[in-house]
Amino acid sequence: MNVVAAIATTALRRYFRDRSNYFFVFLFPLLLILVLGLQFGGIPNMGTVGLIGTGTGARELSEELEQRDLTVQHFDDADEARDLVSRGRIDVAIELPSRWAEGERDLSGTVRITPSSFAKGQAATAAIRQAVASLADRELALGSLVSDGVDRKTAEHAFDRLDSVGPRLSVTKAGDRMENEFQNLGQFDLGAAQQLALFVFLSALTGAIPLIQSRELRVTQRELTTPISTLQLIVGEGLGRIAIALVQGLYIVAGTALLFGVSWGDPIATAATVTMFCGASAGAGLVIGALMDNVNAAAGTSVGVGLVTAALGGSMMPIEFFPSGLLVISRVTPHHWAYRAFATIQRDGGGIGDVLGPLGVLAAMIFVLIPLASVLLRRAVARP
Amino acid sequence: MTAAMSGSNTAPPVLSVNGLTKAFGSRRAVDDVSFEISPGETYGLLGPNGAGKTTTISMIAGLLKPDSGHIRLCGFEDGPTRREARAHLGLVPQDLAIYPDLTARENLVLFGRLQGIPRRRLRERADEVLDVIGLSDRSGDLTKEYSGGMKRRLNIGIGLLHQPDLLILDEPTVGVDPQSRNAILESVEALSREGLALLYTTHYMEEAERLCDRIGIVDQGSMVAEGTVDELLRITGEADAVSLSGSGSVLEATRALGKANGVVAASGDGTTISLTVADAPTHLASLLATAAREGMAVTDVDVSRPDLEDVFLHLTGRALRD
Ligand SMILES: Nc1ncnc2c1ncn2[C@@H]1O[C@H](COP(=O)(O)OP(=O)(O)O)[C@@H](O)[C@H]1O
Ligand SMILES: [Mg+2]
């Protein structure tokens, strides 16, 4: 244990001796939090919707959407709205069937929803579907009252009174999981969890670089001629990297919670998830560091792998929107399991007992990656 | 320790290497190399760049797995694969193996902890080593600020820290200035005097001659000859050339010396006698006495011996240094 500690503390000492690393541990996560804050704004905002048309039907939908914390902008030109979506200026464009938009009680036709490819666009789409469904339900109910001979005005009045009398019965359709999925989630909560995974993993992957440098310096080779095992060396290096990743991860959790009121949920479950995710991330960094001999190539690979796994693991688009094939592939990333754990903790108020599954997978990743790195390092030191 | 006694009266060797072989692809970097080092002995591996010295050492230190062969290290039959065996070994690698962004003391403490030296003892021991390598007053400076010679000394210090039974030095003087080089050679001599067994590799024959009790000459992975310097020099079959200059009865002296012990051939003009002598150092005193007895006043003596360079040339047909 003393041996492992000696290697871990040396890794940390060397890391923090390079002053520029203070930036990555303490300042960069803070900047990241600030950028997140700006992106989502201080007030909860599910996204901005471009609604085409200005008729009664459009106005009704607009009210429904605003009730769901979406910001609505009205457009006359569908192309203009879609163009803004593709440029990321608004999150979704909605085009109602023209008769509905004008206020006719005719729900036939298709509602065209054009979301941006960003997480917010996807999440807003879920809220829009809910809003449209709710309007449609109301219209169906009204329609059946009218056909039973009730005057439309009276029927609408009755519905409006129903609203103000409350408690309102919220009906969510079974089978459309998506509607429920993000309900207990401030949008900022999702983004913070996604960014944490992306950043911590990326940062941990660059832990490959000091591992390669130690080999270039021939220190690794010399260490392996002392009475220590390769596994001890890898675990020591790994613990050093996990400590750095943990500081970054917990810093992001604390920073977003304090500054932007992100609700991370149960602290123990969150800390456990961050820890296991840091472990798996550091393990992946060690594997790259043992596999590759060139620092520049390793840095490039780390960034590439970091971004691709982040995308696959739900750090860019929520995995709920993944087609099933992609969802299967997604499971190889630690992000996927961290995402699922965070989802349980944040949305369902889950505790540590509820996330043992995803944490178990992350633990299994650690137990595969660390010995793998050890074997690869043995080979690496035999190379000239 | 599970010391395996091989001989009955002699101490077992600290290192015994048998039939060691290692190929990289089709190239045999080390080919059936065998040798032994007794306690207190300084053993040299002398050979040009690429001869396989570092590869041999890497196998002895457990960094490379031999293709075949056997290494017995400090009594451990399975050699450096046993962690306890590696604790008896000190390695000073050919390339500096220190962290430039740590101080000398931090480097020493890291390796001391890996060697399992208890904390308190380690602090004392680091001080002792810093003293020995002459870095006490710079021990708190980052090693990247050190001169090449200082780094080399620290590199050696790390190998000594845990007081190993065998210290391996892989070309410790390569790339250092003459002054530092001499300091390194002197400290190696001091270690040897203290009774430490040393394995010293070099491609400088003067270093091997100066430091080593026995030398193995390696070339292209194979050990081509082994022995003390004298034994190796004898391989060439070349005798020493001795020339005596002076005045007096030079011709009489020439005639008498031609019949003297150890002299193979003698010739002389009026002032200088050229002798071919089988083992000049042994016979020089009696040769000078003979010349004096014959009435020659010797003013100048020149002995030129064949050196290891000649031995290497003789054995391989190539020069040691290219
Ligand atoms: N890890 C390795 N992979 C492939 N070839 C190697 C490796 N290490 C050494 N060699 C080759 O083996 C030979 C012996 O090298 P080395 O042991 O370093 O020689 P020396 O130390 O005597 O200069 C050289 O030809 C070298 O290129
Ligand atoms: Mg070498």
Side-chain angles (χ1 to χ4, degrees):
Chain A
M1 199 56 223
N2 185 34
V3 165
V4 172
I7 292 170
T9 52
T10 301
L12 282 176
R13 173 171 289 148
R14 296 187 59 233
Y15 184 83
F16 285 110
R17 196 149 280 177
D18 182 353
R19 295 275 179 258
S20 65
N21 282 330
Y22 282 87
F23 173 79
F24 284 105
V25 176
F26 297 112
L27 232 56
F28 196 86
L30 202 68
L31 285 179
L32 193 75
I33 294 163
L34 285 174
V35 168
L36 281 174
L38 291 177
Q39 188 184 340
F40 296 115
I43 46 162
N45 174 10
M46 289 289 282
T48 304
V49 177
L51 187 57
I52 293 120
T54 47
T56 327
R59 239 180 298 117
E60 277 176 8
L61 179 60
S62 174
E63 278 168 26
E64 275 294 331
L65 293 173
E66 277 163 358
Q67 269 181 18
R68 289 176 164 77
D69 293 332
L70 289 157
T71 308
V72 181
Q73 288 177 18
H74 292 274
F75 291 87
D76 291 325
D77 181 9
D79 286 339
E80 186 194 350
R82 274 188 225 112
D83 184 48
L84 288 178
V85 168
S86 68
R87 285 195 278 137
R89 304 290 288 276
I90 61 176
D91 299 301
V92 196
I94 311 174
E95 202 178 347
L96 296 177
S98 54
R99 282 151 63 83
W100 185 12
E102 295 313 321
E104 289 185 35
R105 304 294 158 197
D106 177 2
L107 293 181
S108 64
T110 314
V111 180
R112 288 189 61 189
I113 301 178
T114 315
S116 76
S117 54
F118 300 110
K120 255 173 104 183
Q122 305 296 325
T125 302
I128 291 166
R129 286 199 200 164
Q130 248 184 333
V132 170
S134 153
L135 270 188
D137 283 347
R138 178 183 147 105
E139 204 50 49
L140 278 175
L142 282 174
S144 71
L145 285 176
V146 169
S147 72
D148 281 350
V150 182
D151 172 52
R152 180 160 181 110
K153 280 255 154 53
T154 316
E156 281 184 4
H157 188 65
F159 260 89
D160 291 345
R161 269 190 47 212
L162 203 64
D163 274 357
S164 54
V165 165
R168 185 174 180 185
L169 184 64
S170 158
V171 181
T172 44
K173 272 187 275 181
D176 196 352
R177 202 167 48 86
M178 213 68 76
E179 289 173 11
N180 301 325
E181 200 52 66
F182 299 100
Q183 234 167 27
N184 301 327
L185 203 58
Q187 183 53 33
F188 193 47
D189 298 357
L190 175 63
Q194 289 176 311
Q195 295 301 316
L196 181 144
L198 187 151
F199 173 70
V200 167
F201 189 75
L202 204 55
S203 171
L205 278 198
T206 58
I209 292 167
L211 200 67
I212 296 172
Q213 283 169 336
S214 292
R215 220 153 58 234
E216 281 175 352
L217 289 168
R218 299 270 141 185
V219 174
T220 304
Q221 287 85 334
R222 184 176 218 167
E223 287 175 335
L224 289 175
T225 67
T226 67
I228 69 165
S229 69
T230 318
L231 192 62
Q232 281 177 314
L233 192 150
I234 277 288
V235 170
E237 294 282 355
L239 282 179
R241 306 305 306 183
I242 288 172
I244 294 163
L246 258 184
V247 170
Q248 293 172 324
L250 296 178
Y251 197 61
I252 292 173
V253 169
T256 51
L258 292 176
L259 293 177
F260 302 109
V262 169
S263 45
W264 287 91
D266 182 69
I268 293 172
T270 302
T273 304
V274 173
T275 305
M276 297 310 282
F277 181 72
C278 286
S281 305
L286 293 175
V287 167
I288 292 182
L291 205 54
M292 304 187 72
D293 291 329
N294 182 292
V295 166
N296 292 325
T301 303
S302 295
V303 172
V305 169
L307 292 180
V308 169
T309 47
L312 279 176
S315 277
M316 298 184 185
M317 185 201 281
I319 57 175
E320 286 82 359
F321 298 105
F322 281 18
S324 59
L326 196 59
L327 201 56
V328 171
I329 300 172
S330 170
R331 287 158 182 256
V332 304
T333 68
H335 306 60
H336 176 98
W337 302 99
Y339 184 102
R340 281 167 65 156
F342 282 134
T344 305
I345 299 166
Q346 289 185 304
R347 301 174 203 174
D348 309 337
I352 181 94
D354 303 308
V355 291
L356 289 180
L359 294 194
V361 176
L362 288 173
M365 287 182 172
I366 297 173
F367 278 102
V368 170
L369 290 171
I370 296 283
L372 177 63
S374 175
V375 169
L376 291 172
L377 187 70
R378 257 289 146 189
R379 292 191 183 187
V381 294
R383 290 195 285 268
Chain B
M1 223 211 284
T2 58
M5 297 295 167
S6 56
S8 47
N9 45 6
T10 54
V14 287
L15 175 70
S16 132
V17 166
N18 229 305
L20 207 57
T21 299
K22 178 79 187 178
F24 296 112
S26 62
R27 182 193 187 104
R28 287 199 170 191
V30 175
D31 193 357
D32 196 19
V33 165
S34 306
F35 62 97
E36 281 193 353
I37 303 178
S38 307
E41 188 181 25
T42 301
Y43 187 92
L45 279 180
L46 174 68
N49 280 329
K53 304 183 294 294
T54 300
T55 305
T56 303
I57 280 172
S58 298
M59 288 188 281
I60 294 169
L63 212 50
L64 280 180
K65 207 170 124 52
D67 294 341
S68 61
H70 184 238
I71 300 166
R72 198 171 65 215
L73 183 61
C74 298
F76 290 92
E77 275 304 330
D78 34 11
T81 47
R82 287 282 292 273
R83 284 204 239 164
E84 305 95 300
R86 295 206 295 275
H88 295 269
L89 182 85
L91 174 65
V92 179
Q94 177 171 358
D95 310 286
L96 289 175
I98 55 178
Y99 276 128
D101 47 0
L102 295 183
T103 67
R105 182 180 292 278
E106 286 167 340
N107 270 291
L108 286 169
V109 167
L110 166 63
F111 282 99
R113 290 179 71 184
L114 299 190
Q115 292 289 356
I117 305 174
R119 290 280 189 117
R120 281 258 303 281
R121 171 84 191 106
L122 180 53
R123 204 171 310 138
E124 295 165 12
R125 186 60 195 148
D127 285 334
E128 287 168 22
V129 168
L130 284 165
D131 195 43
V132 168
I133 58 179
L135 289 176
S136 294
D137 51 337
R138 296 288 304 275
S139 66
D141 295 350
L142 299 184
T143 63
K144 64 181 166 201
E145 288 153 16
Y146 284 8
S147 70
M150 293 165 75
K151 289 179 191 167
R152 284 272 157 201
R153 265 140 58 201
L154 176 59
N155 203 36
I156 295 175
I158 293 171
L160 290 173
L161 193 61
H162 54 296
Q163 298 173 300
D165 296 326
L166 171 67
L167 182 67
I168 302 180
L169 297 129
D170 194 5
E171 308 219 31
T173 61
V174 166
V176 302
D177 59 281
Q179 199 189 338
S180 304
R181 177 179 182 179
N182 199 49
I184 289 172
L185 294 181
E186 275 171 13
S187 59
V188 171
E189 283 170 326
L191 291 169
S192 172
R193 272 197 304 277
E194 285 166 25
L196 184 58
L198 298 169
L199 172 55
Y200 189 99
T201 83
T202 182
H203 65 271
Y204 297 120
M205 59 124 192
E206 319 87 60
E207 290 185 7
E209 267 187 52
R210 172 172 163 183
L211 300 172
C212 301
D213 300 315
R214 284 190 308 130
I215 296 168
I217 297 181
V218 284
D219 184 46
Q220 296 182 340
S222 301
M223 187 164 293
V224 292
E226 188 195 46
T228 63
V229 174
D230 284 336
E231 284 166 352
L232 289 170
L233 291 179
R234 239 170 270 146
I235 292 173
T236 61
E238 285 171 30
D240 306 329
V242 177
S243 85
L244 306 175
S245 325
S247 53
S249 324
V250 178
L251 288 178
E252 285 79 357
T254 309
R255 217 173 304 123
L257 285 169
K259 287 178 241 152
N261 229 352
V263 175
V264 181
S267 63
D269 53 23
T271 55
T272 306
I273 309 172
S274 299
L275 302 167
T276 307
V277 184
D279 182 8
T282 316
H283 298 107
L284 195 57
S286 77
L287 294 178
L288 288 172
T290 305
R293 206 166 47 240
E294 296 298 326
M296 175 179 175
V298 176
T299 54
D300 204 15
V301 182
D302 184 69
V303 181
S304 90
R305 315 197 65 193
D307 57 21
L308 292 175
E309 194 84 53
D310 298 315
V311 176
F312 190 82
L313 189 66
H314 179 87
L315 290 169
T316 67
R318 283 175 297 108
L320 186 54
R321 264 174 284 179
D322 31 19

